[in-house]
């Protein structure tokens, strides 16, 4: 079973970690999306890699066998807001890590104007000032679905709600 205090790793690091182009791109993304460290970026890259791998393996299967799994994958990505309603497997192959990073709670709080900076958005979330449909969420990396996007607001007990409500 394994030790419950040591959860399984959710990311795969780069094969060539010391290449200049990779380091510059990683630092740009970490700064742009306010990530705590590169591990958060690698988790997002691993998730996108899994979606793309699943799409490639479905393309290799005969058409009659893959239809149900293809619909399930496309529906999951549509609910997450990564793909439009009428997407195909080719659209899954064109997903980038930026597409996934745009769906994080931290980024959406900043884009909605609830925080002045991406770093303030992270702090508001961690300190419990942000809620989704009245339910407090304290994880900046929480992936927002399409339905939850309009429900993001300050927590009912947050002092920020009172300040925003007065002005």
């Amino acid at each position: 079973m394994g030790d419950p205090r040591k959860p399984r790793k959710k990311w795969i690091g780069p094969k060539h970690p010391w290449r200049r182009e990779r380091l510059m791109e990683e630092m740009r993304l970490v700064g742009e999306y306010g990530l705590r460290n590169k591990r958060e970026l690698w988790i997002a890259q691993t998730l996108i890699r899994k979606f793309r791998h699943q799409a490639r393996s479905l393309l290799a299967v005969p058409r009659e066998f893959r239809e149900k799994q293809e619909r399930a994958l496309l529906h999951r990505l549509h609910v997450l807001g990564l793909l439009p309603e009428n997407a195909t497997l080719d659209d899954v192959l064109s997903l980038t890590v930026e597409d996934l990073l745009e769906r994080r709670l931290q980024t959406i709080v900043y884009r909605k104007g609830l925080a002045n900076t991406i770093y303030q958005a992270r702090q508001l979330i961690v300190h419990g000032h942000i809620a989704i449909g009245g339910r407090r969420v304290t994880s900046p990396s929480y992936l927002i679905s399409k339905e939850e996007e309009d429900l993001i607001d300050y927590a009912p007990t947050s002092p920020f709600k009172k300040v925003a409500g007065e002005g």
Side-chain angles (χ1 to χ4, degrees):
M1 262 181 50
D3 190 358
R5 291 173 292 166
K6 296 183 179 178
R8 179 173 287 135
K9 211 166 75 164
K10 297 178 186 171
W11 52 275
I12 298 172
K15 290 183 180 178
H16 301 285
W18 305 114
R19 293 211 171 140
R20 182 179 181 88
E21 302 82 30
R22 170 180 280 282
L23 290 172
M24 298 304 285
E25 179 66 15
E26 284 176 346
M27 287 308 295
R28 183 187 69 78
L29 290 172
V30 166
E32 183 178 340
Y33 291 100
L35 305 178
R36 185 180 61 182
N37 52 32
K38 289 186 183 178
R39 187 178 310 131
E40 289 187 343
L41 177 63
W42 295 339
I43 290 171
Q45 287 174 341
T46 302
L47 194 57
I48 289 291
R49 190 179 303 128
K50 286 180 182 178
F51 289 144
R52 291 171 49 107
H53 175 73
Q54 195 173 358
R56 275 195 311 271
S57 63
L58 284 175
L59 284 172
V61 175
R63 183 77 183 158
E64 59 271 5
F65 298 116
R66 76 174 184 211
E67 288 181 7
K68 183 177 177 184
Q69 293 174 338
E70 180 179 343
R71 272 186 275 122
L73 174 64
L74 292 176
H75 177 70
R76 179 177 179 202
L77 293 175
H78 172 69
V79 167
L80 277 176
L82 293 173
L83 292 178
E85 179 76 41
N86 55 357
T88 62
L89 284 180
D90 292 332
D91 297 329
V92 177
L93 295 176
S94 66
L95 283 177
T96 62
V97 70
E98 286 93 350
D99 297 332
L100 186 69
L101 292 175
E102 285 291 332
R103 300 301 306 166
R104 297 175 84 232
L105 178 60
Q106 178 180 358
T107 307
I108 292 179
V109 165
Y110 172 65
R111 300 274 191 252
K112 284 185 78 171
L114 298 175
N116 296 329
T117 65
I118 195 85
Y119 303 105
Q120 184 187 21
R122 182 179 194 94
Q123 189 171 25
L124 289 176
I125 294 166
V126 169
H127 290 198
H129 294 291
I130 302 295
I132 300 174
R135 181 178 57 95
R136 187 174 290 176
V137 178
T138 58
S139 175
S141 63
Y142 181 79
L143 292 178
I144 302 295
S145 66
K146 281 288 197 188
E147 296 84 34
E148 294 174 332
E149 195 168 353
D150 297 330
L151 303 174
I152 298 173
D153 198 13
Y154 292 114
T157 59
S158 172
F160 288 95
K161 184 163 186 89
K162 294 173 183 68
V163 171
E166 292 173 1

